[in-house]
């Protein structure tokens, strides 16, 4: 019943046919959306492979959620700040985070901007206005609200975007952030990637509500649901929401309904806790397949372009991995840097022993 | 080159996996990323893809067997290499060691191993040291193991807990338990040591001590002492001590309660009308306190000469009995070692002792600006039965005033 108030907004149905007004995008922009999704898909496949070969310690893929990530990230301006949850590494790449830095972070090598200290796959890209991931769930939401309030006080045109998953909505931080943002009209967009699974906890164990979008109502926020596997719908709805937030209309919550097609991470085996025949149904709704069908219909994509793009991206990735693996580990000395402005004695002693 | 592919940690902190099924046979040609084997860990069942292209020359372990993380799974003969016999022999040893040994012993990915050779542990002083975490360094210290003598098997050539334990077991005549037992030596408490012990105990038991600390700006005194040293006719080595004794004697003249003893039998305070200043001297045998007699009647030079003779005699073991008796107040100083402050123990049955500390150059706020000044601390311990805090403080203030304007101390 509540679901009726939050209809799932779509531009393309599962066959790639238009069911509502598409966003205004040039041919290049439309192709760029696809290439961005393809790139993430290929990087994820490769990184999972490296993990199984012992070349990477840990990885979490975004497979199945590419449209939610790419469609939303494409709607932000460079001056906006992104507070990622998990699985939005692709958004950093779209904002200019170098692939070498991305791969190096996963390896934890000498080039890694986080110097091998962060968990693999937890990127930090300040130059791209992209805050570090945190394994702790929902901590980024109050941060995003605070940053948004600062932007408002400084009267900048920028807004903050907070990504999070369905699991984060059970955290206190989510509710604190929503309430605060609502009361103070912070220019923040809450973007929930509802991929149905918080590691092994399904949505119906996460909430008794029918949607996550409805939670915004209690805090006085606008909210909506969008098909997270429909890149055009995600882009159109995010763009409209971003415009409204930027214009002073107050915070908005978007629930992108999608599905985690793979494991939670390289340490996880979903076949132990979920019915993988459901996963097969979702694979039929693969966001890449759907959008590819649409582009083919417009004559913007074909098998040859797919083959060329795949080859080119895989080559770039292979060369980047080679450079990253050759870079070596961060020096031991880096262990003693950055935390204290003046090194305390016990670290000086340990450094000498090192 | 034969490439040994070892079971990686495919979860977070996984230590072993069960071989579910082999997807390749020995002799098979494999390409990079081709699935080799299905392995089940306590977290997940996963296909392990090949990191290299080549021919499988050896598979280690059969289906249903447990393989430890870091143990060899397969040996891949990369293109152009025919020398696989020797390699496969070596591998089975490695695999057995990996299985039988500790997890730490086998946990070394191919990548980590390649890096071991690259990582030389040269230090600025030219020495090389075993890499080890602070926790393992501490363990080695506690176990009495020299880290550099331990064979390291950890990732990156680091010393692991197992390595240290193995080194302890291997040490001849030492069990793990015995190592932690400290060896001891017994020295009889005799002679001067015994006297010091008795007197310290008596002092601490009978006199409730308190220590009052003050800082003194001795910049002028430092200049004065340097000038005094430059005088061509000076035979004696001029130190700060004669000046301090002078200042102390003046202070005692104003505050006679500090130049006194407490007669416990008659319950009387005995004020001394003479000023014999004990000077603590460190000797090889232990602490001695020769006494500068009638210090109030000696010039700075006489004081210096007296101190020097008394100290030399004490260090040479030639002190006469009368040199060590009759003090009414004692000064203790560690000279250059000096420290910041101390809580001196009163030379019983006196009622006060003054500790003199190191002179340090410090930035000080002096009449509107920051200046480099020579600062010294004084620690005065007092017997509270006789001297209350206010008197100790007044005495110290007097001594401070004199030392800060030391021309007052010069001989008239």
């Amino acid at each position: 019943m509540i679901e009726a108030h939050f209809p799932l907004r779509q531009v393309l149905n599962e066959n790639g046919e238009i069911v509502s007004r598409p966003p205004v995008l040039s041919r290049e922009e439309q192709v760029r959306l696809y290439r961005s999704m393809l790139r993430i898909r290929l990087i994820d496949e490769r990184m999972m492979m490296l993990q199984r070969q012992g070349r990477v310690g840990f990885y979490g893929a975004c497979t199945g959620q590419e449209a939610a990530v790419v469609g939303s990230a494409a709607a932000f301006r460079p001056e906006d700040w992104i507070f990622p949850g998990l699985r939005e590494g692709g958004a950093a790449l779209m904002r200019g985070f170098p692939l070498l830095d991305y791969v190096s972070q996963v390896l934890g090598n000498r080039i890694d901007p986080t110097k091998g200290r962060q968990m693999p796959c937890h990127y930090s890209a300040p130059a791209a206005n992209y805050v570090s991931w945190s394994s702790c769930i929902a901590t980024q939401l109050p941060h995003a609200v605070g940053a948004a309030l600062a932007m408002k006080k400084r009267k900048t045109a920028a807004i903050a975007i907070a990504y999070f998953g369905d699991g984060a909505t059970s955290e206190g931080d989510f509710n604190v952030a929503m309430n605060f943002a609502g009361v103070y009209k912070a220019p923040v967009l809450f973007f929930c990637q509802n991929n149905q699974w918080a590691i092994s906890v399904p949505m119906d164990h996460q909430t008794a509500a029918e949607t996550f979008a409805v939670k915004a109502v209690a805090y006085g926020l606008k909210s909506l649901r969008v098909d997270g596997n429909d890149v055009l719908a995600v882009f159109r709805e995010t763009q409209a929401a971003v415009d409204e937030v930027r214009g002073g209309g107050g915070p908005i919550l978007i629930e992108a309904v999608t599905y985690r097609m793979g494991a939670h991470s390289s340490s996880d085996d979903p076949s132990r806790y979920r019915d993988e025949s459901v996963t097969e149904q979702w694979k039929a709704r693969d966001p890449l397949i759907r959008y590819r069908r649409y582009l083919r219909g417009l004559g913007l994509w074909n098998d040859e372009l797919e083959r060329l793009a795949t080859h080119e991206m895989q080559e770039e990735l292979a060369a980047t991995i080679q450079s990253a693996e050759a870079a070596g580990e961060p020096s031991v000395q880096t262990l003693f840097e950055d935390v204290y402005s003046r090194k305390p004695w016990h670290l000086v002693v340990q450094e000498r022993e090192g | 080159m034969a490439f040994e592919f070892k079971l990686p940690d495919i979860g977070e902190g996984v230590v072993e996996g069960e071989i579910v099924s082999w997807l390749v046979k020995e002799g098979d040609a494999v390409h990079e990323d081709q699935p080799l084997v299905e392995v089940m860990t306590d977290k997940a069942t996963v296909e392990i893809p090949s990191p290299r292209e080549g021919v499988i020359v050896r598979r280690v372990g059969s289906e249903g067997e447990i393989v430890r993380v870091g143990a060899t799974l397969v040996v891949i003969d990369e293109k152009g290499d025919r020398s696989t016999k020797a390699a496969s022999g070596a591998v089975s040893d490695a695999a057995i060691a990996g299985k039988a040994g500790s997890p730490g012993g086998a946990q070394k990915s191919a990548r980590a191993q390649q890096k071991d050779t690259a990582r030389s542990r040269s230090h600025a002083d030219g020495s090389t040291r075993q890499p080890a975490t602070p926790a393992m360094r501490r363990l080695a210290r506690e176990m009495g193991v020299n880290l550099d003598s331990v064979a390291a098997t950890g990732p990156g050539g680091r010393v692991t807990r197992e390595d240290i334990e193995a080194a302890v077991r291997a040490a001849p005549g030492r069990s793990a338990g015995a190592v932690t037992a400290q060896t001891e030596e017994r020295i009889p408490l005799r002679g001067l040591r015994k006297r010091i012990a008795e007197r310290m105990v008596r002092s601490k038991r009978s006199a409730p001590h308190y220590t009052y600390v003050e800082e003194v700006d001795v910049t002028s005194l430092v200049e004065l002492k340097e000038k005094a040293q430059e005088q061509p006719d000076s035979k004696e080595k001029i130190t700060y001590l004669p000046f301090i004794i002078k200042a102390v004697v003046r202070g005692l003249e104003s505050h006679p309660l500090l130049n006194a003893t407490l007669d416990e039998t008659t319950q009387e305070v005995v004020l001394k009308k003479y000023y014999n200043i004990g000077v603590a001297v460190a000797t090889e045998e232990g602490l001695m306190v020769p006494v500068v007699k009638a210090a109030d009647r000696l010039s700075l030079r006489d004081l210096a000469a007296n101190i020097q003779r008394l100290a030399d005699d004490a260090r040479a073991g030639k002190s006469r009995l009368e040199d060590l008796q009759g003090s009414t107040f004692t000064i203790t100083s560690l000279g250059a070692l000096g420290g910041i402050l101390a809580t001196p123990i009163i030379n019983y049955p006196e009622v006060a002792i003054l500790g003199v500390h190191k002179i340090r150059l410090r930035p000080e706020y002096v009449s509107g600006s920051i200046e480099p000044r020579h600062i010294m601390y004084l620690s005065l311990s007092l017997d509270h039965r006789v001297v209350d805090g206010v008197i100790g403080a007044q005495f110290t203030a007097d001594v401070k005033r004199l030392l800060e304007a030391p021309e007052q101390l010069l001989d008239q």
Side-chain angles (χ1 to χ4, degrees), chain A residues 46 48-58 107-109 119 264-272 325 327-330 332 336 350-354, chain B residues 5-6 8-12 32-34 40-52 109 111-112 115 119 121 123 129-132 134 137 141:
Chain A
R46 191 72 201 132
M48 285 301 276
M49 187 73 85
L50 295 193
Q51 201 281 336
R52 296 301 185 229
Q53 294 172 351
R55 292 156 79 181
V56 154
F58 170 91
L107 261 72
N109 67 9
M119 193 156 172
H264 168 74
S265 75
S266 53
S267 306
D268 177 43
D269 182 357
S271 67
R272 295 200 182 181
E325 287 190 323
E329 295 173 349
V332 172
F336 301 95
Q350 288 181 13
E351 186 175 11
R352 233 180 272 148
E353 286 178 343
Chain B
F5 180 45
K6 299 178 178 180
D9 178 359
I10 44 184
E12 290 161 68
E32 191 182 349
D33 302 338
Q34 180 177 330
M40 181 170 73
T41 70
D42 51 3
K43 291 192 176 168
T45 303
V46 295
E47 276 183 3
I48 308 282
S50 174
R52 304 288 176 101
S109 71
R111 218 168 110 228
K115 279 175 185 158
R119 180 183 302 195
R121 283 281 163 169
H123 286 253
R129 287 177 86 160
Q130 288 272 51
R137 287 183 187 282
R141 271 196 297 275

Side-chain angles (χ1 to χ4, degrees), chain B residues 78-402:
Chain B
E78 293 187 86
K79 275 177 286 185
D81 183 19
R82 297 284 115 216
S83 63
T84 52
K85 269 272 179 275
S88 72
V91 165
S92 55
D93 288 350
I96 289 159
K99 271 187 190 175
S102 56
Q107 260 171 16
K108 210 178 216 186
S109 71
R111 218 168 110 228
Q113 230 175 19
Q114 284 163 2
K115 279 175 185 158
D116 288 356
T117 46
R119 180 183 302 195
S120 79
R121 283 281 163 169
S122 295
H123 286 253
D125 58 3
S127 66
T128 56
R129 287 177 86 160
Q130 288 272 51
T133 61
M136 289 310 111
R137 287 183 187 282
R138 178 178 167 182
L139 180 67
R141 271 196 297 275
E142 286 170 358
M143 305 280 268
V145 171
N146 178 3
L147 263 188
D148 292 333
S149 67
V150 175
T153 63
R158 287 198 287 278
V159 176
T160 65
R161 179 178 296 277
E162 290 76 14
D163 296 340
I164 294 169
E165 285 164 1
V168 168
R169 280 192 298 275
R174 293 168 118 195
S175 72
V179 169
T180 51
Q182 308 284 310
T183 54
E184 296 173 344
E185 188 189 347
R186 289 180 162 257
I187 303 170
L189 200 60
R190 284 204 191 108
L192 182 58
R193 192 75 256 151
K194 191 171 182 190
R195 292 265 314 285
I196 292 170
E198 286 165 358
R199 296 189 60 151
M200 293 300 169
V201 167
R202 187 155 181 214
S203 176
K204 269 283 187 179
R205 276 209 185 131
S206 41
H209 285 59
Y210 70 96
T211 303
Y212 180 83
V213 179
E214 177 61 290
E215 64 173 25
V216 183
D217 183 335
V218 291
T219 309
S220 306
L221 181 60
V222 170
E223 288 163 9
L224 195 65
K225 188 202 116 177
E226 276 163 13
K227 261 187 223 148
Q229 253 167 351
E230 283 161 14
Q231 289 188 11
D233 62 330
S234 73
K235 296 189 297 281
E236 305 81 14
K237 189 180 158 216
I238 299 285
T239 65
Y240 294 105
L241 203 47
F243 293 96
I244 293 165
I245 291 175
K246 278 260 169 194
V248 163
V249 169
R250 298 263 186 94
L252 293 176
E253 286 167 351
S254 309
H255 305 283
L257 266 183
L258 272 74
N259 195 50
T261 55
L262 178 65
D263 188 335
E264 286 178 29
T265 50
T266 60
Q267 291 292 299
E268 288 170 326
V269 175
V270 184
L271 303 179
K272 313 281 182 170
K273 306 291 184 180
Y274 50 94
Y275 301 90
N276 294 346
I277 307 299
V279 178
V281 175
T283 73
E284 274 183 36
E285 300 296 312
L287 175 70
M288 296 183 75
V289 187
V291 182
V292 180
K293 299 276 168 54
D296 55 322
R297 284 182 237 156
L298 297 176
S299 69
L300 282 168
R301 288 202 180 282
D302 289 342
L303 281 171
N306 259 299
I307 293 162
Q308 200 163 336
R309 181 188 68 78
L310 289 166
D312 288 349
D313 284 356
R315 291 199 186 97
K318 293 193 295 191
S319 298
R320 291 168 295 178
L321 189 58
E322 62 262 35
D323 288 342
L324 303 173
Q325 288 179 336
S327 62
T328 58
F329 183 97
T330 297
I331 295 175
T332 176
S333 161
L334 287 171
L337 271 177
I340 294 172
L341 59 86
T343 54
I345 296 175
I346 294 165
N347 189 13
Y348 193 85
E350 294 159 30
V351 296
I353 183 167
L354 181 70
V356 176
H357 301 285
K358 190 174 178 171
I359 296 171
R360 288 157 208 271
L361 198 56
R362 271 196 353 207
E364 282 291 310
Y365 195 69
V366 181
S367 55
S369 66
I370 305 288
E371 285 180 21
R373 305 292 293 182
H374 292 280
I375 304 295
M376 179 180 79
Y377 276 52
L378 298 175
S379 310
L380 181 71
S381 286
L382 296 149
D383 182 344
H384 215 322
R385 293 175 304 178
V386 179
V387 189
D388 287 344
V390 65
I391 296 168
Q394 284 166 353
F395 167 82
T396 310
D398 284 355
V399 172
K400 174 183 163 81
R401 206 156 34 238
L402 288 162

Side-chain angles (χ1 to χ4, degrees), chain A residues 14-185:
Chain A
E14 289 175 22
N15 300 320
E17 296 153 0
I18 290 195
V19 293
S20 74
R21 176 184 58 81
V24 180
L25 285 167
S26 70
R27 295 161 72 91
E28 290 73 26
E29 285 166 339
Q30 293 187 68
V31 171
R32 182 173 175 255
L33 289 180
Y34 181 73
R35 287 180 61 97
S36 296
M37 292 199 289
L38 179 62
R39 192 173 186 220
I40 297 169
R41 175 72 54 95
L42 294 173
I43 292 170
D44 282 348
E45 281 174 1
R46 191 72 201 132
M47 290 294 136
M48 285 301 276
M49 187 73 85
L50 295 193
Q51 201 281 336
R52 296 301 185 229
Q53 294 172 351
R55 292 156 79 181
V56 154
F58 170 91
Y59 194 75
C62 137
T63 306
Q65 300 172 228
E66 292 91 343
V69 172
V70 169
S72 57
F76 309 140
R77 287 195 197 157
E79 66 264 31
D80 295 338
W81 275 89
I82 295 188
F83 291 75
L86 302 171
R87 303 186 207 289
E88 292 94 12
L93 290 172
M94 289 170 69
R95 295 168 73 84
F97 187 52
L99 184 62
L100 182 59
D101 285 10
Y102 183 102
V103 173
S104 294
Q105 201 287 329
V106 181
L107 261 72
N109 67 9
R110 199 175 281 270
I111 303 169
D112 171 13
T114 51
K115 304 189 183 183
R117 298 169 187 169
Q118 250 291 20
M119 193 156 172
C121 190
H122 286 48
Y123 319 97
S124 170
N129 283 17
Y130 184 97
V131 174
S132 175
W133 292 24
S134 164
S135 293
C136 308
I137 297 303
T139 54
Q140 74 276 18
L141 303 179
H143 300 168
V145 174
L149 277 173
M151 292 165 191
K152 185 180 178 184
K153 281 187 189 295
R154 290 180 181 176
K155 302 196 191 313
T156 67
I159 66 164
I161 295 99
Y163 282 106
F164 54 101
D166 35 302
T169 61
S170 298
E171 292 284 350
D173 275 352
F174 165 79
N175 297 283
V176 168
M178 296 273 282
N179 188 56
F180 210 82
V183 171
Y184 292 98
K185 280 202 152 192

Side-chain angles (χ1 to χ4, degrees), chain B residues 55-78:
Chain B
V55 174
I56 303 292
V57 289
R58 192 178 168 83
R59 288 187 338 197
V60 181
S62 46
E63 291 172 5
E65 246 179 82
I66 303 290
V67 183
R68 297 201 73 90
V69 166
T72 301
L73 259 183
V74 291
V75 181
I76 301 166
D77 176 17
E78 293 187 86

Side-chain angles (χ1 to χ4, degrees), chain B residues 17-46:
Chain B
E18 181 189 328
I19 296 174
V20 177
S21 64
W22 280 104
L23 306 172
V24 292
K25 300 186 300 294
E26 287 180 6
D28 281 1
V30 293
H31 58 78
E32 191 182 349
D33 302 338
Q34 180 177 330
L36 297 175
V37 59
E38 209 178 10
V39 174
M40 181 170 73
T41 70
D42 51 3
K43 291 192 176 168
T45 303
V46 295

Side-chain angles (χ1 to χ4, degrees), chain A residues 8-12 20-23 25 33 37 64-76 94 163 189 191-193 224-242 254-258 287 290-291:
Chain A
L8 193 68
R9 302 184 187 198
Q10 264 189 344
V11 171
L12 302 176
S20 74
R21 176 184 58 81
L25 285 167
L33 289 180
M37 292 199 289
Q65 300 172 228
E66 292 91 343
V69 172
V70 169
S72 57
F76 309 140
M94 289 170 69
Y163 282 106
L189 175 71
F191 194 96
C192 177
Q193 288 207 62
L224 59 99
R225 280 167 84 235
V226 63
D227 183 337
N229 286 16
D230 174 356
V231 70
L232 291 181
V234 173
F235 177 78
R236 186 186 74 187
E237 296 304 326
T238 308
Q239 194 179 45
V242 159
I254 293 179
E255 176 188 348
V257 180
T258 179
R290 188 189 306 193
Y291 190 45

